[in-house]
Amino acid sequence: MNNDHHIILRVVSKMLLPVIIMFGFYTQFHGDFGPGGGFQAGIIIAVGVILYALVFGVPAAMRAVPPVFTRSLAAFGVMLFAGVGYWALLQGGNYLEYQALFHEPPGEHHGQHIGILLIELGVLCGVTGAMLTIFYAFAGRVAEIRDKDW
């Protein structure tokens, strides 16, 4: 199959992919100061990979971002999120009580900043991994009805 008729789509998507991924990371790290954060950033980054899969094919996307990596990324995100909560419990605070992370006196906010960054990073990894795993599951399945039988 000759894909020469998709050359403009391929070139434009190659130019947009880094911008999409960079915007996802901007959304991730801007979440402390305004709207945004881990969930939105995870979706944006997953959409970048999904765009790659739609333009260059699902097998190419699976080679670039393997399904075992997406599943591991989702699991890591959940473990990071839960780990921050348990870290606070082990320090004598409540689950996800950021002030307890470093035994800070009232008025100090270093634990809160680090805790939120870690939580949002966990959400980013979990959402990106889960969305790509779901996409691969649907996009990689064999159709029950062939196209000519429709």
Side-chain angles (χ1 to χ4, degrees):
M1 183 169 114
N2 189 358
N3 289 325
D4 289 339
H5 59 283
H6 295 297
I7 191 74
I8 294 173
L9 180 62
R10 288 174 181 260
V11 169
V12 170
S13 66
K14 279 185 182 181
M15 290 183 342
L16 282 178
L17 276 171
V19 175
I20 291 170
I21 301 298
M22 189 169 35
F23 182 68
F25 283 117
Y26 168 78
T27 304
Q28 166 71 19
F29 294 111
H30 188 265
D32 289 353
F33 310 108
F39 184 82
Q40 294 88 341
I43 294 294
I44 293 168
I45 292 171
V47 163
V49 177
I50 291 170
L51 171 67
Y52 183 84
L54 292 175
V55 173
F56 297 99
V58 175
M62 286 183 170
R63 283 189 302 274
V65 183
V68 68
F69 176 75
T70 63
R71 292 189 302 268
S72 300
L73 188 65
F76 173 76
V78 172
M79 289 189 314
L80 181 59
F81 187 96
V84 172
Y86 286 118
W87 179 16
L89 283 175
L90 292 174
Q91 298 298 323
N94 295 324
Y95 189 78
L96 294 177
E97 181 183 353
Y98 304 127
Q99 303 304 80
L101 294 177
F102 297 107
H103 297 293
E104 293 179 328
E108 294 287 327
H109 299 293
H110 301 295
Q112 184 173 2
H113 293 298
I114 293 172
I116 288 173
L117 282 174
L118 290 174
I119 288 294
E120 292 296 329
L121 184 62
V123 172
L124 168 83
C125 293
V127 169
T128 302
M131 291 306 298
L132 290 176
T133 299
I134 291 168
F135 173 75
Y136 286 161
F138 282 123
R141 72 178 182 85
V142 177
E144 294 176 12
I145 300 174
R146 295 177 295 179
D147 287 338
K148 67 180 181 178
D149 292 337
W150 278 96

